[in-house]
Amino acid sequence: MTDIIERAARAVAAIDYRREVRDCARPADPPVFTPVPWDDLPAKAQLESMEKARAVLRAIREPTPWMKKAGAVDFGGRDWMLEELWAGVIDAALGEE
């Protein structure tokens, strides 16, 4: 697993896995939901979060036309260079070569 995958998985898990916290001194207040700490998640939940993170990276592997246009300025108008660079970065994050 790459560091970026774990960071993304932790972000996914922070949304997917929350626990309810209530203020005992103010029981009428609505509950607050806080993320379950990564290390407290079962291994299965961590693996599911990592797979979701990989799926997001696969989904954004192809840059959008707007991204190509924005990158063309930085790369002297060569859109192909941005596409190859972007795909290479995503592939590296996914551990693919």
Side-chain angles (χ1 to χ4, degrees):
M1 166 182 53
T2 63
D3 289 337
I4 194 81
I5 297 291
E6 183 174 333
R7 287 192 328 219
R10 286 173 181 259
V12 167
I15 294 168
D16 285 352
Y17 301 99
R18 295 179 172 266
R19 61 173 66 136
E20 184 178 322
V21 178
R22 290 191 172 268
D23 185 349
C24 294
R26 302 175 73 168
D29 286 356
V32 174
F33 294 90
T34 61
V36 174
W38 179 257
D39 293 332
D40 291 351
L41 291 174
K44 181 179 179 185
Q46 290 181 357
L47 291 173
E48 287 172 356
S49 296
M50 286 187 281
E51 195 50 43
K52 287 179 182 180
R54 286 184 190 95
V56 168
L57 288 176
R58 284 186 210 102
I60 65 168
R61 187 176 182 279
E62 298 299 322
T64 65
W66 181 87
M67 292 167 67
K68 291 177 191 178
K69 184 176 180 181
V73 174
D74 293 337
F75 293 111
R78 293 179 283 185
D79 291 345
W80 62 268
M81 186 176 190
L82 171 68
E83 290 180 60
E84 290 179 6
L85 176 65
W86 181 261
V89 168
I90 299 298
D91 289 346
L94 290 168
E96 301 170 0
E97 295 190 3

